[in-house]
Amino acid sequence: MKKTATMKVETLAVRAGREIDAASGAVAPPINLSTTFERAPDGSYPRGYIYTRSNNPNRAALEAACAKLEGGASAAVFASGSAATYAVFQALSPGAHVIAPADIYYGTKHILQSLLGRWGLETSFVDMTDADAVEQAVRSNTKLLWVETPSNPRLKISDIGRAAEIAHKAGALLACDNTWATPVLQRPLEFGADLVMHSTTKYLGGHSDALGGCVIAKAEDEIVNRVRDFQTAGGAVPSPFDCWLVLRSIPTLPLRVRAQSENAGRIAEFLSGHKRVRVVHYPGLRTNSTYELAARQMQGFGGMLSFEVEGGSREAMEVAAKVKLIVRATSLGGVESSIEHRASIEGKDSTTPQNLLRLSVGLEHVEDLIEDLDQALG
């Protein structure tokens, strides 16, 4: 077999983290639900497992798979994407400064402002697509740049390589939320990122049935040790069954993501020509200002898009109410297409346009999806 470093993503998705079970010869990995593991007579743990909060065979397998998919040195998986995100920020010291995108997942913003802000973490939210603005935001205590590309919910594209240069010049780290692109379409560590975060609930799990998150590190260092300490000592660990579900789904990840991306591109073209749509946010549209950057940085443009309808909140909610095939639901990355009015999810402090609808494109036939959107738009 080829060395891991030369394997294509399809091979990695099928083989990484998956070993033939030594006890039974099972090709599909078993689920290890035990919370505790036997010690040897001399008090040692020769099998490497002590207590499932510290480690578990299913968790170890998923971490190995995530690390190899992103080309990292190691990975730590968590009970949710939010827990994974929190682990990165809490690995910093009180009084540290973080630069984060203005267009960002609202849950991440809440962590930075409401949870860790009280703890002494400082955050500047800037337009991460503007390298000059990012550079100007750097302070003497800047310790981390957080990039979300494509961003949630307006799919803004940030230059990962340029962000890495700015971060490292300042003596800071660069972390990238790669949930929407997945390692199939984008590998941030190759552009200079130090850490990559995934909500494995989304595309890696892909079936809307397993909550989880993951942090992948380019190198073993003190920050990674702090992330892992929060995972184990803090107890922010996923169940063995959730780990097993995500690992089971990863072999089809390249096929799912590419099919979803193709569908999303077709839908974005349709929506961009519709009379009731004011603007479509999708990096694969040539009219998008960051199209060239996305084309250089990504191997495809992803299965997510958002669009703004003519009118305001009421008109957007009416469109969402009329879909028949597409599911009205939050989250994303599942095999089923889903739509939601983001501002109403994010609450009173939302900066998302009131007329914006976010669409997670699934694996249904694209013509059926377009027909559903066409009739909903009227």
Side-chain angles (χ1 to χ4, degrees):
M1 184 181 293
K2 293 180 181 179
K3 293 181 180 179
T4 300
T6 62
M7 283 186 187
K8 303 296 187 289
V9 68
E10 294 85 356
T11 306
L12 285 173
V14 172
R15 302 301 296 272
R18 299 172 69 91
E19 303 290 343
I20 302 299
D21 181 53
S24 66
V27 174
I31 305 170
N32 290 274
L33 296 176
S34 181
T35 58
T36 189
F37 299 87
E38 184 186 37
R39 301 180 73 167
D42 63 1
S44 66
Y45 289 92
R47 301 173 187 88
Y49 300 102
I50 301 173
Y51 183 58
T52 203
R53 177 166 52 77
S54 301
N55 205 352
N56 172 277
N58 296 111
R59 194 164 98 222
L62 179 57
E63 289 176 341
C66 290
K68 289 178 181 177
L69 282 169
E70 284 286 5
S74 65
V77 294
F78 293 84
S80 68
S82 293
T85 299
Y86 194 100
V88 173
F89 294 136
Q90 68 78 40
L92 305 174
S93 299
H97 176 241
V98 174
I99 300 174
D103 190 54
I104 189 173
Y105 169 54
Y106 81 106
T108 302
K109 189 173 185 179
H110 179 73
I111 289 171
L112 286 166
Q113 288 186 317
S114 301
L115 300 182
L116 291 177
R118 295 196 303 268
W119 172 72
L121 197 69
E122 302 173 5
T123 306
S124 296
F125 295 96
V126 303
D127 180 0
M128 296 295 285
T129 68
D130 184 344
D132 290 337
V134 175
E135 202 156 24
Q136 290 170 15
V138 173
R139 304 175 186 172
S140 60
N141 61 333
T142 299
K143 299 301 180 183
L144 180 75
L145 272 65
W146 180 272
V147 174
E148 186 177 281
T149 181
S151 69
N152 182 3
R154 281 178 273 195
L155 291 105
K156 293 187 176 183
I157 303 297
S158 299
D159 188 328
I160 300 172
R162 184 72 183 99
E165 290 175 3
I166 295 170
H168 297 156
K169 181 180 178 181
L173 298 172
L174 176 68
C176 181
D177 182 339
N178 201 33
T179 299
W180 281 23
T182 80
V184 176
L185 304 181
Q186 180 174 270
R187 284 162 59 101
L189 298 181
E190 295 179 356
F191 291 95
D194 302 288
L195 300 168
V196 174
M197 193 285 294
H198 284 276
S199 171
T200 61
T201 311
K202 312 305 193 289
Y203 286 101
L204 270 67
H207 294 81
S208 305
D209 59 6
L211 191 69
C214 186
V215 176
I216 303 102
K218 176 183 283 187
E220 290 285 355
D221 54 24
E222 180 60 27
I223 287 292
V224 176
N225 290 336
R226 293 178 187 176
V227 168
R228 197 170 286 118
D229 192 40
F230 177 78
Q231 177 202 42
T232 55
V237 296
S239 72
F241 185 50
D242 281 342
C243 291
W244 183 90
L245 283 171
V246 175
L247 188 66
R248 178 210 58 181
S249 298
I250 285 176
T252 62
L253 177 68
L255 298 175
R256 287 187 283 108
V257 167
R258 287 173 182 147
Q260 288 164 311
S261 297
E262 183 177 349
N263 281 355
R266 290 271 304 277
I267 291 171
E269 292 286 354
F270 160 74
L271 290 171
S272 64
H274 199 285
K275 62 182 181 181
R276 286 203 60 199
V277 175
R278 184 176 297 171
V279 62
V280 178
H281 303 285
Y282 186 66
L285 291 174
R286 291 183 180 273
T287 54
N288 190 300
S289 61
T290 55
Y291 170 80
E292 295 296 336
L293 172 60
R296 292 195 308 269
Q297 193 166 268
M298 303 174 72
Q299 301 301 310
F301 302 106
M304 295 298 301
L305 61 90
S306 63
F307 60 100
E308 297 176 38
V309 303
E310 292 292 345
S313 177
R314 181 176 63 83
E315 287 77 11
M317 293 290 278
E318 286 176 352
V319 172
K322 291 178 181 177
V323 295
K324 298 177 180 178
L325 176 64
I326 300 169
V327 181
R328 289 180 297 276
T330 195
S331 197
L332 57 100
V335 294
E336 66 289 328
S337 295
S338 60
I339 194 169
E340 72 173 345
H341 181 253
R342 284 303 295 170
S344 60
I345 289 289
E346 295 174 357
K348 62 182 179 65
D349 296 326
S350 173
T351 58
T352 297
Q354 290 292 323
N355 63 340
L356 182 142
L357 293 170
R358 193 185 72 182
L359 181 64
S360 173
V361 181
L363 296 178
E364 302 91 344
H365 197 286
V366 68
E367 291 179 8
D368 292 331
L369 294 172
I370 289 174
E371 181 179 337
D372 192 26
L373 288 166
D374 194 27
Q375 65 82 25
L377 286 162

